[in-house]
Amino acid sequence: MESVEELAAKVWRLSRDKLLIHLRFLDVALSSLEFQAKPGSKQILCDMSAPNTAVILYDPIVLLRLYRANPNNVTRLHLHILLHCIFGHSYKYDKVEQELWNIAADMAVENTALELKIAGLETEYDKERKEILAQWKARAGALTADRIYRKLKEDRPKKEEMLALGNLFCRDVHDRWKPAELFAITEAQWKKISERIRTELKSFSGDKSDDKSLLQNLEEVVKETYDYNDFLRKFSVSGEEMQINDDEFDYVYYTYGLSLYGNLPLVEPLEYKDVNKIKEFIVAIDTSGSCRGSVVQAFLNKTYHILKSSENFFRKVNIHILQCDSKVRRDTKITNDEEFERFMREEKLEGFGSTDFRPVFDYVDKAVNNKEFENLKGLIYFTDGYGVFPTQKPSHGYDTAFVFLEDNYEKPPIPPWAIKVVLPVEELEE
């Protein structure tokens, strides 16, 4: 007669085989999970701190009770934990409010499991889950853990609602999601697995609605992140600044002169230094109705605080801030730090009509032709992306970047000659 632990191990294998039959693209991910019985623990959780793998720790008695109530419970639990791993939910645990993140992560994986519509995954209370998730989709948009979490932070549901959400969507314990030094290795491994799954889904499954939630969450995992500070440095130019150049100063002759002649050094330090800083560029602000004033203000604040630091900003600059929708509404010229501060303090946004990007580029071309700029390096266009793009690259050779806020899943395609940057909401909130 088989022992309790042997039966529990067989149940895990059965659930794994069932998932492989319906979701063959999860083969590598499923093989990356290991199982370890913990009799008497009275819980089931995934330990993400083990190197190069993830270990599901489980009480065999708890698992067999779930299976006896409904065999689908174990298959659904298996997929639930696997999706947490694929979506990288454990790696943000030290950067979030954990109670809110637990619920957001559970809601995201349950939504994905339900939208896959696979036979053998149905469990009790799925109807209630679908109703709640439909309401949240209307509130938060794409149901990824990050978007649900932001909405939870914004709305701050009452304790009763939080408890109800936790009871409805939780299937595993997240106690082993605490930060660990080995997480970096495991995160890189799971990110590669996520990238592979995304590629296979896009290549072979087409644009099926059943896969949409899975793709949305995968996009969240594999998206590129940007250091906005480093990005702005791409628009820097070389120039001379009045400051001591320690790199070209010879201390030997300096100190020798002081020792030989008293107060007379043989060489003085250079009072200028070649540096790369931002001197000329344009910030175009889409003030159409879909770009909220508070979001635009947050973007300008972020840009300003980066530029005002001495390491990025020449003392005399030529920066133009264009407010535009279907036309250029206002052009504010900034030549120094004080003018930038005045703009941030006093300026009001204008526009809020429809969006057409072409007038901005026509306006900039005329400004360059009129010698308004000596060496324009680039134009940053902050927008939601919904508008008419120019068909050709700007004739004067400056780089163009369209900057989007990470508030929607799908962003409109941009021209091939432009740079696309997506800023996380959290980065603007810093």
Side-chain angles (χ1 to χ4, degrees), residues 135-199:
Q135 297 170 13
W136 273 85
K137 192 168 186 179
R139 294 165 63 182
L143 291 183
T144 66
D146 291 85
R147 285 159 176 75
I148 297 171
Y149 174 74
R150 277 189 222 123
K151 197 63 182 173
L152 285 169
K153 278 187 69 177
E154 181 182 330
D155 294 350
R156 294 290 174 181
K158 293 181 180 179
K159 188 175 182 179
E160 295 78 11
E161 183 181 354
M162 293 287 291
L163 185 61
L165 289 172
N167 290 335
L168 191 59
F169 292 99
C170 176
R171 291 186 184 273
D172 63 327
V173 179
H174 302 163
D175 287 356
R176 296 296 180 95
W177 282 12
K178 305 298 182 187
E181 292 182 2
L182 294 173
F183 265 25
I185 301 172
T186 310
E187 182 177 12
Q189 176 204 12
W190 280 105
K191 189 168 184 177
K192 287 182 180 179
I193 293 172
S194 301
E195 289 172 346
R196 172 175 171 168
I197 294 171
R198 183 187 64 160
T199 301

Side-chain angles (χ1 to χ4, degrees), residues 32-35 46-48 50 52-56 85 186 189-190:
S32 298
L33 289 178
E34 295 183 1
F35 301 88
C46 187
D47 184 358
M48 298 294 292
N52 300 319
T53 190
V55 180
I56 295 179
C85 297
T186 310
Q189 176 204 12
W190 280 105

Side-chain angles (χ1 to χ4, degrees), residues 147-403:
R147 285 159 176 75
I148 297 171
Y149 174 74
R150 277 189 222 123
K151 197 63 182 173
L152 285 169
K153 278 187 69 177
E154 181 182 330
D155 294 350
R156 294 290 174 181
K158 293 181 180 179
K159 188 175 182 179
E160 295 78 11
E161 183 181 354
M162 293 287 291
L163 185 61
L165 289 172
N167 290 335
L168 191 59
F169 292 99
C170 176
R171 291 186 184 273
D172 63 327
V173 179
H174 302 163
D175 287 356
R176 296 296 180 95
W177 282 12
K178 305 298 182 187
E181 292 182 2
L182 294 173
F183 265 25
I185 301 172
T186 310
E187 182 177 12
Q189 176 204 12
W190 280 105
K191 189 168 184 177
K192 287 182 180 179
I193 293 172
S194 301
E195 289 172 346
R196 172 175 171 168
I197 294 171
R198 183 187 64 160
T199 301
E200 291 190 9
L201 275 175
K202 288 190 171 183
S203 300
F204 303 112
S205 66
D207 191 24
K208 296 193 302 182
S209 59
D210 294 358
D211 297 330
K212 187 174 182 181
S213 177
L214 181 55
L215 274 171
Q216 288 173 342
N217 280 275
L218 288 171
E219 294 287 355
E220 195 85 52
V221 177
V222 303
K223 69 187 178 186
E224 292 185 34
T225 56
Y226 297 90
D227 185 325
Y228 192 48
N229 198 335
D230 289 340
F231 174 73
L232 282 180
R233 290 196 188 102
K234 294 184 179 183
F235 300 112
S236 64
V237 295
S238 179
E240 290 184 351
E241 280 269 279
M242 292 295 294
Q243 58 178 292
I244 300 298
N245 188 351
D246 295 326
D247 297 333
E248 298 184 18
F249 177 55
D250 193 330
Y251 284 95
V252 174
Y253 282 103
Y254 184 83
T255 54
Y256 177 70
L258 289 177
S259 63
L260 188 63
Y261 301 111
N263 296 348
L264 184 62
L266 291 180
V267 61
E268 291 282 358
L270 293 176
E271 295 182 352
Y272 62 88
K273 183 178 183 180
D274 286 329
V275 292
N276 284 310
K277 294 189 178 184
I278 294 168
K279 188 171 185 179
E280 289 190 335
F281 82 111
I282 296 170
V283 180
I285 303 296
D286 178 3
T287 56
S288 64
S290 55
C291 285
R292 304 182 302 277
S294 59
V295 172
V296 172
Q297 188 69 32
F299 169 74
L300 286 173
N301 280 331
K302 178 74 175 178
T303 305
Y304 168 66
H305 284 297
I306 293 174
L307 292 177
K308 72 178 288 189
S309 65
S310 59
E311 65 183 67
N312 292 321
F313 214 32
F314 277 110
R315 289 184 176 86
K316 295 293 291 184
V317 295
N318 182 19
I319 295 174
H320 287 246
I321 301 177
L322 308 181
Q323 298 181 42
C324 40
D325 44 28
S326 59
K327 61 176 69 174
V328 177
R329 300 289 180 178
R330 178 173 293 190
D331 178 0
T332 304
K333 183 176 180 178
I334 305 293
T335 62
N336 54 51
D337 190 55
E338 290 75 20
E339 290 178 0
F340 213 140
E341 287 203 19
R342 191 181 310 118
F343 173 85
M344 295 300 299
R345 187 172 59 250
E346 300 175 1
E347 196 72 18
K348 293 183 179 180
L349 300 177
E350 296 183 6
F352 307 105
S354 58
T355 304
D356 188 338
F357 302 112
R358 295 170 297 182
V360 166
F361 293 93
D362 293 338
Y363 183 89
V364 173
D365 282 345
K366 291 178 182 177
V368 175
N369 291 333
N370 293 333
K371 308 300 182 183
E372 179 64 39
F373 298 95
E374 295 179 5
N375 186 16
L376 179 62
K377 296 293 290 183
L379 183 152
I380 296 176
Y381 210 131
F382 183 72
T383 176
D384 59 9
Y386 296 99
V388 183
F389 289 95
T391 56
Q392 295 182 340
K393 184 177 180 178
S395 57
H396 290 283
Y398 56 86
D399 291 328
T400 300
F402 288 94
V403 179

